[in-house]
Amino acid sequence: MTEQFFHLSRGGVSLLIETTHGTPNVFYWGAALRQGVDPTQYLASITQPAAHAHFDQAPRIGVWRENARGNWGRPSILGHRDGKDWSQLFELVTATSTAHSASFISRDEFAGVEVEISYSLNDAGLVMVDHRVTNIADGTFFLESSNAHLPVPDTATDILDFTGRWLKERMPQRSKINTGVWQRESREGRSGHDYTIVQFVMSEDANFNRGQVWGLGLAWSGQGSHAVERLSDGRTSISAGELLMPGEVTLAKGETYQAPTVVAAFADNGIDGASHRFHQWLRSRKNHPTNVRPRPVSLNVWEAVYFDHRLEKLAQLAEVAGEIGVERFVLDDGWFGARRDDLKGLGDWTVSPDVWPNGLKPLIDVVHKNGMEFGLWFEGEMVNPDSDFYRAHPDWILHSGNRSPVTGRFQQVVDLSHPGAYQHVLGQVDAILSEYDIAYIKWDHNRTLADAAHFGKATMRNQNIAIYRLFDELKRRHPGLEIESCASGGGRIDLGMVEHADRFWTSDDNDPLERQTIYRYTSIAITPEMLGTHIGPTHSHTTSRVHTVAFRGVTALFGHAGLEWDITETTPEERVALKAWTTYYKANRDLLHSGRVTRMDSIDGNAWVHGVVAQDGSRAIFAYVALELSQYVHPMAIVLGGLDDNALYNVKVVTPFGGYEEITRGQAGWLEGVTLDGRYLQTVGLSSPILKPEQAFLLEVTRVG
Ligand code: DGJ
């Protein structure tokens, strides 16, 4: 029996798998179970009675969910051989396991397909699910889809995933699980602004701090599909996989499709519990940016100058940036070719002699002189039709038939599967990185793919593999180079890009009010230190809202902090505040980028509290953010979660880079410091000051006993 039963357990999570019906069947994924329970007892517990008007034996479906086993839901694999072999029946061939992993190879000799799936539990308690499909027979096997499913119990009632658009990424949407399929697809070549990153199913009571949650993310930046399916037979599953276009994966005999890893998080302490697992995993990687060096304060010049590149102005910006403590200066779009606006020049990665007659060195020298490193913008996957690149190689763009795809931001997509095109882009970018001292590149991707084919064949998958390869090659050639993944803001943030890029541009929306929401939900799966967060201009360029430096500063503090503002126009008072902000960030970034992110569930919706608690519970920084006026005379109390229940903490309000405006005739009693235990702070909390909308302050929390 033992070889037919696998109990994997790590990090407070268990996964139970049995193979008694000739196929691996995951029948439990949740909180850690007791070891040593007699497997026959589990098997008895999952054996269902045969039902009327159904198969004569209750089917035991297994992870491949074949139609041939009596599955009437979506099979894990859809594929065929010229219309035949579409219904496979995979019989288990080998099963191997270690303490924390198990791997199963199965085969359908008749259909000529071999599959392998492996489950591996890491330290963070995440289940990493990998699978492959191999054609082992003559002829071509046309693979249409290949997803990894995990079962969820009947206590899961809700679905939470995220949608959005340019300027408003990762908006949460919660719904009930009903019979049928709730599917979130990304069909734009990149993961996209509305990409969910992780899709959750949850118990009814689940929220940030309580309840059971099961979430799947995909280690992939191309097209993806996330789905929750409840069948009329009562089974519920959650799945994720790459979304393939027709004919995109055709396997000749001996060829294999390797699916992107599915990253599965379970927590019984709410969304923050699952979030913590994602963060723990990301931070455990050797190449995680904070394992290499602290995250420098950045200044990106986009909202300061846009395409108006003038050395004198940019040098002034660099001087003010140096003065206020910026550590990295990033020159954005407009430095190359004929790119004086977004109509032309994209794709010509040579320094423009018109705007930079002496090259970039004079600017880089000023940047270095002011104590900063230099970063540069690229968008190597794209070209304007009005470019030397396109004029020389009109055939190097993705296109179908004899037509050009509809343009987006006046641009077409470079076919990176074309060796000539790939080498051209790599060569030009490499030449710039070799000529200049460049520590960092911001790599943009400003249009969705449409009608995208490589010599007629859909190529979303290969395009994505190619950009990973290109990033890795640039890093290999330029050790220490950091890459920021940007796609009109947060259009390519996912668990695949984390392996190839070091930072995400979270959104083009620097309005702090919008950013509060975008950050709250993007940071569920991605660590704060990978999310670029900038203090933008006083008048937001995207919403025209006006905010104080303090509100913008509190918002931008919780991430990889930076500025994106014409700071040459700042008042002396604003410069003092900005200097205080960079100083505070530098003094606290070790905590902000290593601690446990905690988000309080908002009760009346007018204010949010979120924070970062040191892993040992010794200190924390929280933000209290008033979004709008409270409907109550006294807004709901400020509760601080994630602390040690029994430890004593001193809590005080700090305003190192500017205060907040309130509508009160007196002050809350504790603002200058109060000492209480963790449980009290989390349950009763502290009476809230009555803030005007769009104001915020920080709370410093220190364990004192
Ligand atoms: C879109 C990005 O999100 C912006 O930050 C900026 O880099 C522009 N592209 C430049 O074209």
Side-chain angles (χ1 to χ4, degrees):
M1 174 60 73
T2 43
E3 70 280 15
Q4 292 186 316
F5 177 80
F6 304 82
H7 181 173
L8 311 179
S9 193
R10 201 176 196 182
V13 172
S14 279
L15 194 72
L16 298 183
I17 309 169
E18 57 87 17
T19 60
T20 54
H21 286 54
T23 189
N25 176 37
V26 176
F27 65 96
Y28 177 86
W29 168 39
L33 296 172
R34 180 194 171 105
Q35 294 284 350
V37 172
D38 178 356
T40 61
Q41 303 304 297
Y42 282 124
L43 295 175
S45 79
I46 60 171
T47 301
Q48 296 176 313
H52 278 297
H54 200 354
F55 296 107
D56 292 333
Q57 285 182 335
R60 185 75 65 74
I61 301 297
V63 301
W64 298 112
R65 301 165 59 97
E66 305 98 311
N67 186 243
R69 285 186 193 276
N71 174 39
W72 61 37
R74 297 176 333 142
S76 296
I77 289 174
L78 282 176
H80 62 92
R81 200 182 296 278
D82 283 336
K84 295 186 179 161
D85 297 335
W86 62 273
S87 175
Q88 305 95 28
L89 181 66
F90 297 113
E91 294 294 347
L92 185 64
V93 181
T94 56
T96 48
S97 64
T98 66
H100 306 304
S101 68
S103 183
F104 306 92
I105 298 176
S106 308
R107 204 175 286 158
D108 181 337
E109 299 283 359
F110 187 82
V113 180
E114 182 180 280
V115 287
E116 179 173 10
I117 192 158
S118 66
Y119 302 88
S120 173
L121 268 160
N122 65 18
D123 273 349
L126 294 173
V127 187
M128 311 300 259
V129 188
D130 286 289
H131 77 272
R132 67 165 173 89
V133 181
T134 303
N135 179 9
I136 54 170
D138 290 336
T140 304
F141 188 75
F142 294 84
L143 187 65
E144 291 178 357
S145 64
S146 196
N147 297 296
H149 294 249
L150 280 166
V152 288
D154 300 344
T155 47
T157 55
D158 289 29
I159 303 171
L160 174 69
D161 54 36
F162 306 91
T163 180
R165 66 166 177 95
W166 179 61
L167 305 182
K168 214 165 173 72
E169 296 87 342
R170 300 328 132 206
M171 294 300 114
Q173 47 183 19
R174 188 165 180 163
S175 54
K176 288 290 167 200
I177 301 178
N178 290 309
T179 303
V181 181
W182 172 255
Q183 184 161 0
R184 297 297 316 287
E185 294 183 336
S186 138
R187 287 184 174 271
E188 55 179 76
R190 58 184 183 183
S191 34
H193 291 96
D194 66 339
Y195 186 58
T196 189
I197 307 182
V198 174
Q199 183 181 48
F200 291 104
V201 292
M202 321 202 290
S203 53
E204 193 152 31
D205 63 331
N207 227 321
F208 280 117
N209 310 124
R210 63 174 184 279
Q212 295 194 303
V213 302
W214 296 259
L216 295 196
L218 198 57
W220 189 243
S221 314
Q223 303 195 137
S225 162
H226 292 258
V228 178
E229 182 181 46
R230 173 162 289 166
L231 291 167
S232 59
D233 70 6
R235 277 181 294 141
T236 306
S237 64
I238 183 167
S239 65
E242 183 180 0
L243 190 147
L244 300 173
M245 298 305 250
E248 191 166 10
V249 173
T250 51
L251 301 173
K253 185 177 184 181
E255 284 185 342
T256 293
Y257 167 78
Q258 182 67 50
T261 301
V262 171
V263 185
F266 165 79
D268 54 10
N269 53 351
I271 299 161
D272 277 359
S275 174
H276 174 63
R277 293 193 189 282
F278 286 115
H279 292 185
Q280 193 186 335
W281 161 57
L282 291 172
R283 287 172 173 164
S284 71
R285 301 165 313 136
K286 221 172 101 215
N287 58 341
H288 187 68
T290 42
N291 291 334
V292 179
R293 54 181 287 211
R295 308 247 71 190
V297 186
S298 305
L299 174 101
N300 181 294
V301 306
W302 180 241
E303 291 202 1
V305 301
Y306 292 103
F307 288 106
D308 188 10
H309 284 202
R310 280 174 293 128
L311 175 59
E312 199 189 341
K313 172 75 182 183
L314 288 160
Q316 277 172 13
L317 262 174
E319 271 155 30
V320 181
E323 219 178 275
I324 63 176
V326 172
E327 298 165 300
R328 172 182 283 162
F329 181 99
V330 184
L331 184 65
D332 211 279
D333 196 355
W335 57 268
F336 50 90
R339 183 79 167 176
R340 302 294 79 77
D341 52 34
D342 55 10
L343 292 169
K344 52 190 179 302
L346 193 65
D348 299 333
W349 303 109
T350 51
V351 179
S352 162
D354 299 338
V355 278
W356 296 103
N358 300 311
L360 295 175
K361 190 155 186 310
L363 176 63
I364 296 177
D365 286 347
V366 179
V367 167
H368 287 168
K369 201 171 89 214
N370 284 283
M372 294 172 287
E373 58 185 41
F374 184 73
L376 193 61
W377 182 93
F378 289 92
E379 191 180 1
E381 290 151 280
M382 303 287 164
V383 291
N384 287 127
D386 187 353
S387 63
D388 293 343
F389 177 113
Y390 186 80
R391 277 183 285 277
H393 303 287
D395 52 326
W396 281 2
I397 63 157
L398 296 175
H399 65 286
S400 289
N402 59 359
R403 55 185 184 261
S404 285
V406 55
T407 49
R409 207 191 183 197
F410 319 107
Q411 59 198 50
Q412 295 290 7
V413 186
V414 177
D415 181 356
L416 291 179
S417 301
H418 194 298
Y422 178 90
Q423 287 306 332
H424 176 84
V425 176
L426 174 65
Q428 283 204 325
V429 177
D430 180 48
I432 294 287
L433 297 183
S434 303
E435 181 175 353
Y436 296 107
D437 186 355
I438 294 172
Y440 171 85
I441 61 175
K442 172 180 177 183
W443 189 282
D444 219 331
H445 183 292
N446 281 307
R447 63 155 296 170
T448 59
L449 273 57
D451 211 13
H454 170 74
F455 292 107
K457 218 178 152 183
T459 190
M460 312 316 209
R461 174 177 173 73
N462 287 339
Q463 188 75 1
N464 189 55
I465 291 170
I467 193 61
Y468 286 167
R469 186 156 65 95
L470 196 134
F471 282 178
D472 295 349
E473 180 59 18
L474 288 173
K475 286 186 163 198
R476 193 188 65 74
R477 291 187 191 184
H478 303 278
L481 178 74
E482 281 188 34
I483 299 179
E484 173 175 46
S485 166
C486 172
S488 303
R492 193 154 64 180
I493 305 179
D494 52 71
L495 295 175
M497 194 51 88
V498 293
E499 274 305 306
H500 310 276
D502 308 276
R503 184 193 211 239
F504 295 104
W505 182 223
T506 315
S507 177
D508 274 352
D509 206 334
N510 287 315
D511 173 336
L513 186 64
E514 300 291 339
R515 267 306 181 98
Q516 283 290 336
T517 318
I518 296 167
Y519 170 80
R520 191 172 178 85
Y521 296 104
T522 309
S523 65
I524 289 174
I526 309 291
T527 57
E529 60 273 20
M530 294 192 85
L531 296 175
T533 47
H534 293 174
I535 293 185
T538 309
H539 282 80
S540 163
H541 289 191
T542 49
T543 64
S544 288
R545 288 195 189 105
V546 175
H547 293 108
T548 60
V549 171
F551 186 60
R552 286 178 282 158
V554 168
T555 305
L557 189 72
F558 291 84
H560 180 188
L563 292 149
E564 189 164 338
W565 178 15
D566 183 357
I567 48 174
T568 63
E569 290 181 353
T570 46
T571 62
E573 295 75 34
E574 284 172 332
R575 284 189 201 180
V576 169
L578 290 176
K579 171 97 185 156
W581 178 75
T582 60
T583 306
Y584 191 82
Y585 168 76
K586 289 176 197 172
N588 290 288
R589 62 185 154 196
D590 57 338
L591 166 63
L592 294 167
H593 295 168
S594 67
R596 197 177 168 115
V597 176
T598 159
R599 308 159 187 91
M600 303 301 107
D601 294 310
S602 173
I603 297 167
D604 70 351
N606 79 296
W608 277 347
V609 179
H610 66 93
V612 181
V613 182
Q615 297 291 346
D616 66 0
S618 61
R619 54 189 284 250
I621 298 177
F622 284 85
Y624 177 78
V625 185
L627 305 168
E628 54 186 41
L629 285 178
S630 171
Q631 61 179 303
Y632 301 107
V633 174
H634 292 286
M636 292 293 175
I638 300 174
V639 293
L640 305 175
L643 303 169
D644 279 356
D645 280 349
N646 295 317
L648 265 187
Y649 289 97
N650 181 263
V651 184
K652 61 175 191 224
V653 168
V654 292
T655 54
F657 38 87
Y660 52 89
E661 292 181 33
E662 49 188 339
I663 333 169
T664 42
R665 294 191 291 162
Q667 284 215 324
W670 58 273
L671 301 186
E672 281 164 22
V674 66
T675 301
L676 293 162
D677 69 63
R679 184 170 286 122
Y680 184 89
L681 289 168
Q682 176 151 344
T683 47
V684 179
L686 303 164
S687 69
S688 175
I690 306 172
L691 263 58
K692 289 187 177 171
E694 297 161 41
Q695 301 287 323
F697 57 75
L698 299 173
L699 298 105
E700 283 184 349
V701 181
T702 314
R703 188 167 58 203
V704 291

